[in-house]
Amino acid sequence: VDIAKLPKVVPGMLVELRGETVPGGYAPAIRPREIRVLGHETLPPAQPANLGDILTGVMDCQRAEWRGVVQHAQRGSGAKPSMQMHLAVPGQRFYFVVWDAGEWQPEQLVGAMVRLTAVTSAFFNERGELVGARMQMNNFDSLTIEQPAPADPFAVPEVPLRQLQSFAVRGPVLTRQRLAGTVTLCRAGD
């Protein structure tokens, strides 16, 4: 079956799918032969992100709601530019891909506390063993900035190096921190 000839499927679409189950790279999948569009429905509610379920693959292909600090964002290129982000949550940092970033720019996101919904997908090796997870979003429709990043990243208080990642009753600091020191190694071009 030529997959390009099947109807285009978009989020929220209710479909009837006929095909064969295949092993998939990590979890079983369906190779479609026929897709019949039945209508549209509201997406199922997202579950709160549970690190144990994410990192063991239990949430593979499920919608999860996240809350954390964007620590890195970088736009891709193309007709619908994507964006890659790293979101820090207490105890972990996760990789997100937004397939259509629209007009959003990294500067709007890096350092901001956000709440968003994304679909979990497994990273696996050639033996089909789970080695990590990434989250995928069609666009930024489900993202809310709860606390914007400081306009001046150097306005945050300076922190001594010995206090980075140290124990704190309130939990880890996920937002930007400012350090001062002397450069001891520099690779040309980096």
Side-chain angles (χ1 to χ4, degrees), residues 1-21:
V1 172
D2 184 0
I3 292 180
K5 292 182 179 178
L6 294 173
K8 182 179 178 181
V9 177
V10 297
M13 199 177 261
L14 181 64
V15 299
E16 180 178 273
L17 178 85
R18 292 177 188 243
E20 297 84 37
T21 56

Side-chain angles (χ1 to χ4, degrees), residues 170-181:
R170 67 187 176 287
V173 176
L174 302 177
T175 53
R176 280 186 168 140
Q177 296 185 53
R178 184 168 59 95
L179 303 172

Side-chain angles (χ1 to χ4, degrees), residues 57-98:
V58 172
M59 291 280 298
D60 188 40
C61 298
Q62 301 299 310
R63 296 179 74 232
E65 184 174 83
W66 295 81
R67 187 173 184 273
V69 175
V70 178
Q71 291 188 331
H72 170 79
Q74 179 178 342
R75 281 183 71 90
S77 59
K80 287 189 174 182
S82 63
M83 189 174 299
Q84 296 80 41
M85 301 186 311
H86 292 143
L87 186 75
V89 299
Q92 194 63 268
R93 193 169 123 170
F94 287 93
Y95 176 69
F96 284 71
V97 175
V98 184

Side-chain angles (χ1 to χ4, degrees), residues 28-48:
I30 299 173
R31 181 179 299 130
R33 281 186 290 135
E34 180 184 335
I35 297 174
R36 190 165 65 113
V37 178
L38 304 176
H40 286 80
E41 287 196 3
T42 304
L43 291 174
Q47 302 171 43

